[in-house]
Amino acid sequence: MAVDVILGLQWGDEGKGKIVDYLADKYDLVCRFQGGPNAGHTIVIGNDKYVLHTIPSGIFRSNITNIIGNGVVIDPITFQREIEKLESAKINYKNNLLIAKKAHLIIPSHRWLDAASEASKGISKIGSTLKGIGPTYMDKTGRNGLRVGDLFSSDFQEKYNLLKEKHMGILNGYPDVDFDIEAEEKKWFECIENLKVIPTIDCEYYINKAIKDGKRILAEGAQGSMLDIDFGTYPYVTSSNTITAGVCTGLGIAPQKIGEVIGIAKAYCTRVGSGPFPTELHDETGEKLRKLGHEFGATTGRPRRCGWNDIPQLKYTIMLNGVTQIVLTKLDVLDHFDQIQVCESYNINGTNTNSLPYDLNMDGITPKYTSIKAWNCSLDLINSYADLPDEAKDYIENLETMLETRISMVSTGPERHKLLPK
Ligand code: GDP
Ligand code: IMO
Ligand code: MG
């Protein structure tokens, strides 16, 4: 069987967690392939709300194996908190969670470096979640990192000390930031004992065998395509490949093994942290979207920047990912609008274009909007696509035409059941 993929088409927080949890039922394996505790994937089941950072969103279904792939970076402290929450909710993860030996570890001084690096940037800061993501991936590509498999080697403490010493040297060149390294290290070493209890695997062999055995596999992305290290709004990006290509390197599978690519997009657009966002609304409409959409970060609690959907941006990420279908989320957030705006093209210094410029941060980009009549009523009790108001169907079908891609499902609320197949 091929590996299907779920990933974000905007700047993250598109509702990936909800859709993975919903679709997980159809799969045998759910695998995270990149990112780390910078992610916050929210899942609402009945009256309970869970936010996962490292653990795949298939964990609530006991018959599914969940894999944290080699492309992921793991902080044992966050990981333990996640496990504790699952335990207190009586979710049994013990028999269905596996970790790739080649996944890299975030150590406390990575978080310290993240904070110091951001402090040194002043107003040009990335707006990082400060979870140590950038410094950990830098050590991975710089060939200095520590991996989960190293936890079991007899010279682990030595390897740890070497890496920490290297960090201490770099920190000398950065501004001072508050960080209690001793307390954080104490916690970290306690938490690795719990991490070591989770079975580890050679992810690439495990997944390729599963493919051969006909298992159905879903790869779960974190962040969004516009935060991709190569193709996102650099330098205001994260430090991993968030696009479909990242599935191959993050799990150890070949490109031809990729099946459906399900792109998740909100019915509008949000971004958290710094960086360009052409359709951002700085007015009361942006505030209304934030309020109705509860647009506050699942990991940091920061208010998310809000704006309208951007067709050139979405077409770009559909192209990069080879998206075969879109799931449109948070349609209900637009329940109280008369008109919805969609940016159909950019005017860049007098020239109309559908392409993203090299630097989206450049001056002179003016989004050109088209206005679509909204439904202005609640979608709360709608249980099927056919029952959606005509204006809502018009909006969805207009998006499909502009994006030249099928929208296969529409989400109308945070809860599991609020998903309408089209
Ligand atoms: P992720 O990082 O892509 O998994 O998304 P987040 O969990 O960070 O943010 C999505 C937020 O929107 C969460 O609070 C979800 O519970 C919520 N959500 C998901 N789908 C819908 C929807 O269709 N309508 C509404 N109102 N909320 C939704
Ligand atoms: P999920 O998986 C939204 C943003 C940060 C910052 C930039 C770099 O929940 O969609 P980092 O901590 O990686 O150094 O931050 O990326 N960012 C996210 N924004 N959703 C996320 O994940 C994000 N993960 C990182 O706000 O701008
Ligand atoms: Mg999130």
Side-chain angles (χ1 to χ4, degrees):
M1 294 287 283
V3 176
D4 294 342
V5 183
I6 285 190
L7 44 71
L9 295 182
Q10 296 156 324
W11 278 276
D13 302 327
E14 296 90 348
K16 299 174 291 293
K18 169 184 163 162
I19 309 303
V20 171
D21 166 65
Y22 180 85
L23 290 179
D25 212 16
K26 297 187 178 158
Y27 292 90
D28 302 301
L29 259 67
V30 176
C31 318
R32 265 284 297 272
F33 60 91
Q34 47 66 235
N38 48 351
H41 295 180
T42 313
I43 290 128
V44 178
I45 305 172
N47 293 325
D48 300 317
K49 177 175 151 177
Y50 306 90
V51 180
L52 296 171
H53 302 285
T54 329
I55 296 175
S57 303
I59 200 71
F60 301 100
R61 302 192 183 264
S62 56
N63 51 332
I64 289 164
T65 301
N66 290 271
I67 296 177
I68 300 175
N70 57 276
V72 176
V73 291
I74 304 174
D75 184 341
I77 300 178
T78 318
F79 181 78
Q80 173 149 327
R81 270 194 229 119
E82 284 182 71
I83 290 290
E84 281 166 1
K85 287 215 178 106
L86 292 178
E87 273 173 352
S88 67
K90 306 229 169 349
I91 308 290
N92 182 12
Y93 61 89
K94 289 205 169 117
N95 299 323
N96 61 350
L97 181 61
L98 303 169
I99 304 182
K101 288 180 198 162
K102 294 192 172 89
H104 277 245
L105 290 167
I106 302 176
I107 72 170
S109 43
H110 281 131
R111 281 190 286 125
W112 193 358
L113 274 174
D114 212 358
S117 158
E118 281 285 76
S120 75
K121 289 192 161 111
I123 55 159
S124 314
K125 68 175 184 184
I126 308 293
S128 163
T129 59
L130 303 181
K131 302 293 176 191
I133 305 296
T136 307
Y137 279 114
M138 279 166 74
D139 276 331
K140 175 177 177 175
T141 52
R143 295 155 297 177
N144 298 304
L146 285 177
R147 303 188 289 181
V148 169
D150 296 330
L151 288 171
F152 304 94
S153 73
S154 54
D155 60 346
F156 177 71
Q157 185 69 50
E158 230 168 276
K159 286 180 172 156
Y160 174 92
N161 292 345
L162 253 169
L163 187 57
K164 181 186 153 193
E165 282 318 307
K166 177 184 159 255
H167 293 166
M168 301 314 271
I170 302 171
L171 280 162
N172 284 332
Y174 276 133
D176 274 346
V177 289
D178 254 0
F179 194 87
D180 188 344
I181 185 72
E182 273 162 33
E184 293 300 322
E185 268 187 325
K186 185 169 176 294
K187 259 192 274 174
W188 195 87
F189 277 99
E190 281 162 15
C191 291
I192 58 171
E193 293 311 316
N194 293 319
L195 183 66
K196 281 160 81 174
V197 171
I198 310 291
T200 56
I201 52 166
D202 294 307
C203 181
E204 60 279 37
Y205 280 115
Y206 189 98
I207 295 194
N208 281 289
K209 178 171 185 307
I211 293 172
K212 225 174 185 174
D213 292 346
K215 298 268 193 264
R216 297 155 305 170
I217 304 172
L218 181 63
E220 173 178 2
Q223 290 78 58
S225 307
M226 293 305 288
L227 291 170
D228 181 85
I229 182 71
D230 281 278
F231 299 104
T233 45
Y234 193 86
Y236 301 100
V237 293
T238 190
S239 301
S240 63
N241 280 117
T242 59
I243 58 172
T244 306
V247 177
C248 297
T249 53
L251 297 178
I253 60 162
Q256 65 268 37
K257 297 289 190 319
I258 304 284
E260 286 291 308
V261 180
I262 306 165
I264 316 295
K266 277 182 190 169
Y268 49 101
C269 191
T270 65
R271 167 164 208 172
V272 61
S274 324
F277 179 5
T279 59
E280 180 172 12
L281 293 162
H282 297 281
D283 56 8
E284 66 277 10
T285 308
E287 198 51 52
K288 186 171 166 183
L289 284 171
R290 179 157 40 250
K291 205 164 155 231
L292 294 174
H294 305 288
E295 294 296 355
F296 295 89
T299 296
T300 58
R302 292 178 293 175
R304 294 177 185 146
R305 301 154 63 191
C306 298
W308 295 118
N309 253 335
D310 178 337
I311 301 299
Q313 179 272 297
L314 284 169
K315 284 189 95 155
Y316 180 66
T317 56
I318 288 168
M319 171 187 81
L320 289 170
N321 289 302
V323 170
T324 55
Q325 52 176 293
I326 294 173
V327 177
L328 194 70
T329 59
K330 303 193 92 160
L331 192 67
D332 54 300
V333 174
L334 302 181
D335 279 359
H336 306 288
F337 286 84
D338 294 322
Q339 295 284 325
I340 299 165
Q341 310 296 320
V342 179
C343 163
E344 51 173 5
S345 61
Y346 297 152
N347 186 296
I348 304 185
N349 298 321
T351 306
N352 218 43
T353 179
N354 259 308
S355 304
L356 263 59
Y358 165 69
D359 185 1
L360 210 52
N361 221 1
M362 70 186 278
D363 288 334
I365 302 179
T366 312
K368 273 189 68 185
Y369 289 100
T370 182
S371 189
I372 297 172
K373 193 173 178 330
W375 45 99
N376 216 339
C377 63
S378 171
L379 300 183
D380 196 36
L381 297 175
I382 307 275
N383 293 318
S384 76
Y385 185 85
D387 292 339
L388 282 173
D390 285 345
E391 292 85 351
K393 283 190 242 174
D394 270 358
Y395 176 51
I396 295 159
E397 285 155 26
N398 261 305
L399 285 178
E400 280 185 315
T401 307
M402 289 189 268
L403 298 172
E404 298 171 304
T405 310
R406 181 168 75 98
I407 294 177
S408 56
M409 283 194 290
V410 181
S411 174
T412 56
E415 302 86 2
R416 218 184 223 178
H417 68 277
K418 291 210 166 159
L419 202 56
L420 315 176
K422 182 163 165 290

